[in-house]
Amino acid sequence: MHPNTDLVRGALEPVILEVIAGGATYGYEIAKAIEKASDGRLLAQEGTLYPALHRLQKRGLLEAEWDLSPEGRQRKHYRLTAAGRKERQALRKEWTEFTRTVNLILGIQHVQLELAW
Amino acid sequence: MSSSSLPGDRERPAAPVDPVAAQIEAEFADHLATSTERLTSQGASPGEAGRRSQEKFGDAAAIGRRCWWIQQGDALMFRVAVVSLIVVLCLALAITTLGSWQSQSRMADQMNALSQQLKALAERPEPAPAVTKPAELKGKLFVNSADRPAAGAEVLIARVDDGEIVRRVTTDARGEFQSGPLPAGDYSVLSKLQPKRTHEPFGVQSAPVYVYPGVDMPPVELDVAFHYGRLQFEPSRPLPKLEVAAKYTIESRLFVRVFTKYRRWHAWTPSFELPPSWPAYVRFLSAPKSASDERPRDWFWDILSDEDLADPSGTLLMDARGELPEGQAIVAAALLIDMLPSDYQIKPIVFAVNPGKNFSQSLIDAAQQWRRAQQSVFGYGPFAEDQASLATPNDDFMWATRARSTTWLEHLRGGPDKNKPLLPDPLPLRSPLYLPDAATVPIQRGQLTRLRVEIPEGLETQIRELVDATPDPANFEAALPGLPLFTELKVVTAGSQPLPKDDGNSPSASLAQ
């Protein structure tokens, strides 16, 4: 099962920052890291990764550098900028708070309903 | 996938080599190649590996376009914004330029039109100079009525400001005249009265006329006939008279003063004491020679005895011979009372008339002697009649010389302060009274206007009582202020009647018409 597209769009950029911070540097590697971390449920198509990468680059959170792969192809390597690192921390906190709140609300509401009954 | 495989959802600039698209394509190619190699290394055929890699990647073209727009979006938007701004600026510049061009074009058209007009004006032949009629005075003189023109009469054009006679012209057969060009200003027309008079007034003056260049003024119409009437003063009772044997004789005279529009001096300037009704009659037809000549003298005066008042043809007033200009007159009367010593001899004053001259010249000579006598008397005191060498058939001169003094005249003229009594000097003429009740009476052409003068009762009794109470003449003067020695009298119009035919009393050859 693939999650809702809107939820994926909101969660993809923090995930990319986490994956790059974890060592992945180019597209295929980043895509495989996300696929592995999400058990193949976050990226339905690997190509959808690239618009997010380019947006983060455009926002200055990532910087890119072209290099040659071992196979001799042009390869684009990404890494976090200082702003990207700050943003990653902020996004982690926001996401944690958000998911906790949502989980809390959903869980409390459910409990309360149970208690009410 | 190639760069040409990244067609935009929206139009994008077509470029033979798009570095952004090339980088996107290279990045995607590396991804697909890596994925294919991994699948191949896991046992898949190269074809199968490539197909599955592309399937796993998704629509590379669509994703590539999204990435391209992400990379180019800001630059493109900035470029669009710049282009739009440039377009707007160009449009604004174009509009401004167009407006400026239109404005300049209009201005150029206007300048051209103005130039054409100026050129037309410059090329227009010089207009004929405006013909402005010069300032000129026209008029007509007639005798009594317009159908009797005064032909051949000398017309004097006098400048009103200073009385200077600036032009002398003669009327034609129709009695008409033209002054010729004159500077703009106020002018008055004067001419001798017709028929020629043997005594004053001798001339007539028109109302001032303002002459202005280019403006046609109505012609001056001037009647050169002297129209007059007479006044007859009628005392309500005989003038007071009382004889105290071996002491005094109390006599009285009626003093009258009459204002008319007759100008006895060179008074045709606007400095009239009273606004005259025009035309005014004047004594002289020559310009004033001195400032004193311009003093307006618009009144007659006389000191009348009972005998003078008894003239049925009217009361003669000094130089006017009783012929007063037609119109309104202001008449004042007062009673003069004097005390004369019993032995006082009224000396006859006789004017030295040269019998060899004609009658009118004799009168002129007499008048000059009379004025010289007055000047002599005034110059040396109120009782200087003995110094006069003239003789007159009546005693007016004595009364006049005794009456006239600076104080008395000042009083008659209204005085410096009409609310204060006069100083008690000289003796018989002191009086706190003025002439506030002067009457306005008509002087009608050819009519004798009778004026009744009210003489108060009991004046003789008052004087007699004063004389009896003051046996010493030295003390008499001190007692006089209590006496009504100068009493203003009430004057009322009693009626009028036609003048009698010339009985010879009047030297005038001009009877009322």
Side-chain angles (χ1 to χ4, degrees), chain B residues 38-120:
Chain B
R38 293 289 178 88
L39 290 175
T40 302
S41 65
Q42 292 174 2
S45 65
E48 177 65 16
R51 186 187 58 81
R52 288 176 54 188
S53 295
Q54 290 189 2
E55 186 179 355
K56 180 76 173 176
F57 190 85
D59 187 354
I63 296 171
R65 287 195 295 269
R66 289 177 58 192
C67 291
W68 187 90
W69 278 109
I70 291 171
Q71 291 291 337
Q72 294 289 81
D74 291 347
L76 190 62
M77 291 302 292
F78 176 75
R79 205 177 301 165
V80 170
V82 170
V83 170
S84 300
L85 180 61
I86 290 173
V87 169
V88 169
L89 290 176
C90 289
L91 285 174
L93 181 63
I95 293 172
T96 304
T97 303
L98 179 61
S100 176
W101 176 80
Q102 289 178 338
S103 175
Q104 289 182 355
S105 177
R106 283 197 300 269
M107 186 177 295
D109 293 341
Q110 292 173 352
M111 290 300 293
N112 287 334
L114 180 60
S115 298
Q116 293 297 328
Q117 292 175 359
L118 291 175
K119 184 178 179 182

Side-chain angles (χ1 to χ4, degrees), chain B residues 102-436:
Chain B
Q102 289 178 338
S103 175
Q104 289 182 355
S105 177
R106 283 197 300 269
M107 186 177 295
D109 293 341
Q110 292 173 352
M111 290 300 293
N112 287 334
L114 180 60
S115 298
Q116 293 297 328
Q117 292 175 359
L118 291 175
K119 184 178 179 182
L121 285 176
E123 294 175 350
R124 184 187 297 175
E126 282 293 326
V131 179
T132 302
K133 292 183 179 179
E136 192 174 22
L137 201 57
K138 300 177 181 179
K140 178 180 180 180
L141 304 188
F142 59 90
V143 182
N144 290 318
S145 59
D147 58 351
R148 295 178 59 188
E154 186 182 31
V155 179
L156 282 64
I157 310 297
R159 189 165 54 220
V160 172
D161 289 344
D162 55 5
E164 181 70 26
I165 296 173
V166 298
R167 195 69 49 84
R168 292 175 184 265
V169 295
T170 304
T171 58
D172 59 17
R174 295 174 298 181
E176 297 177 351
F177 69 91
Q178 290 185 333
S179 67
L182 294 171
D186 282 316
Y187 295 93
S188 192
V189 174
L190 297 102
S191 188
K192 290 182 179 178
L193 288 169
Q194 294 188 27
K196 183 180 178 181
R197 287 174 58 81
T198 56
H199 64 284
E200 62 183 274
F202 301 115
V204 60
Q205 175 195 359
S206 74
V209 177
Y210 185 68
V211 179
Y212 192 79
V215 177
D216 288 327
M217 300 300 296
V220 176
E221 296 189 349
L222 186 62
D223 186 356
V224 296
F226 179 52
H227 299 288
Y228 65 91
R230 285 184 173 176
L231 296 178
Q232 174 71 61
F233 290 92
E234 298 176 350
S236 59
R237 64 185 184 88
L239 299 176
K241 183 175 181 179
L242 178 64
E243 289 188 14
V244 180
K247 279 193 174 182
Y248 305 104
T249 297
I250 307 298
E251 282 257 31
S252 61
R253 293 291 186 272
L254 180 66
F255 168 80
V256 295
R257 188 168 64 158
V258 179
F259 296 90
T260 74
K261 63 178 180 179
Y262 170 43
R263 325 301 298 181
R264 295 183 65 201
W265 299 89
H266 304 80
W268 54 65
T269 66
S271 58
F272 296 110
E273 286 182 344
L274 295 174
S277 58
W278 302 98
Y281 297 106
V282 296
R283 180 178 184 181
F284 295 102
L285 287 174
S286 59
K289 296 181 176 62
S290 65
S292 61
D293 288 343
E294 293 187 85
R295 286 181 302 180
R297 304 291 178 84
D298 60 350
W299 50 274
F300 308 100
W301 65 274
D302 211 336
I303 297 172
L304 304 170
S305 65
D306 282 327
E307 291 77 12
D308 297 330
L309 295 169
D311 188 346
S313 63
T315 303
L316 303 181
L317 297 174
M318 292 288 180
D319 296 343
R321 302 293 175 185
E323 296 173 350
L324 301 175
E326 178 186 23
Q328 282 193 331
I330 298 175
V331 180
L335 191 63
L336 296 177
I337 301 175
D338 199 3
M339 180 185 65
L340 304 175
S342 295
D343 58 352
Y344 182 81
Q345 297 294 320
I346 297 177
K347 296 178 181 179
I349 301 175
V350 179
F351 289 107
V353 176
N354 185 349
K357 295 183 178 180
N358 60 33
F359 185 67
S360 63
Q361 187 59 49
S362 299
L363 287 176
I364 294 174
D365 292 342
Q368 291 175 345
Q369 293 179 52
W370 167 248
R371 280 192 290 276
R372 281 197 294 269
Q374 289 178 311
Q375 293 168 0
S376 175
V377 170
F378 286 124
Y380 297 99
F383 300 102
E385 70 271 25
D386 290 341
Q387 300 176 18
S389 60
L390 302 177
T392 181
N394 58 52
D395 60 353
D396 282 352
F397 183 76
M398 181 275 297
W399 279 93
T401 56
R402 289 179 67 83
R404 298 183 72 172
S405 70
T406 301
T407 302
W408 184 72
L409 289 178
E410 191 70 24
H411 168 69
L412 294 181
R413 291 166 182 165
D417 187 345
K418 294 183 178 181
N419 296 321
K420 289 184 178 180
L422 297 171
L423 296 175
D425 182 46
L427 175 65
L429 300 171
R430 65 178 70 100
S431 172
L433 303 177
Y434 296 95
L435 302 171

Side-chain angles (χ1 to χ4, degrees), chain A residues 26-28 31-32 35 44-48 50-51 54-55 57-58 66 69 71 73-76 78, chain B residues 23-24 26-31 33-35 37-38 55-59 63 66-67 70-72 74:
Chain A
Y26 58 97
Y28 179 80
K32 288 303 172 184
E35 184 180 7
Q45 290 184 317
E46 295 174 351
T48 58
Y50 287 96
H54 288 196
R55 278 196 296 271
Q57 182 188 7
K58 202 70 180 176
W66 285 93
S69 67
E71 294 82 14
R73 294 186 295 270
Q74 291 287 333
R75 178 168 288 172
K76 189 178 182 180
Y78 295 90
Chain B
Q23 289 180 5
I24 293 173
E27 189 175 22
F28 285 6
D30 178 55
H31 183 106
T34 303
S35 176
E37 288 171 358
R38 293 289 178 88
E55 186 179 355
K56 180 76 173 176
F57 190 85
D59 187 354
I63 296 171
R66 289 177 58 192
C67 291
I70 291 171
Q71 291 291 337
Q72 294 289 81
D74 291 347

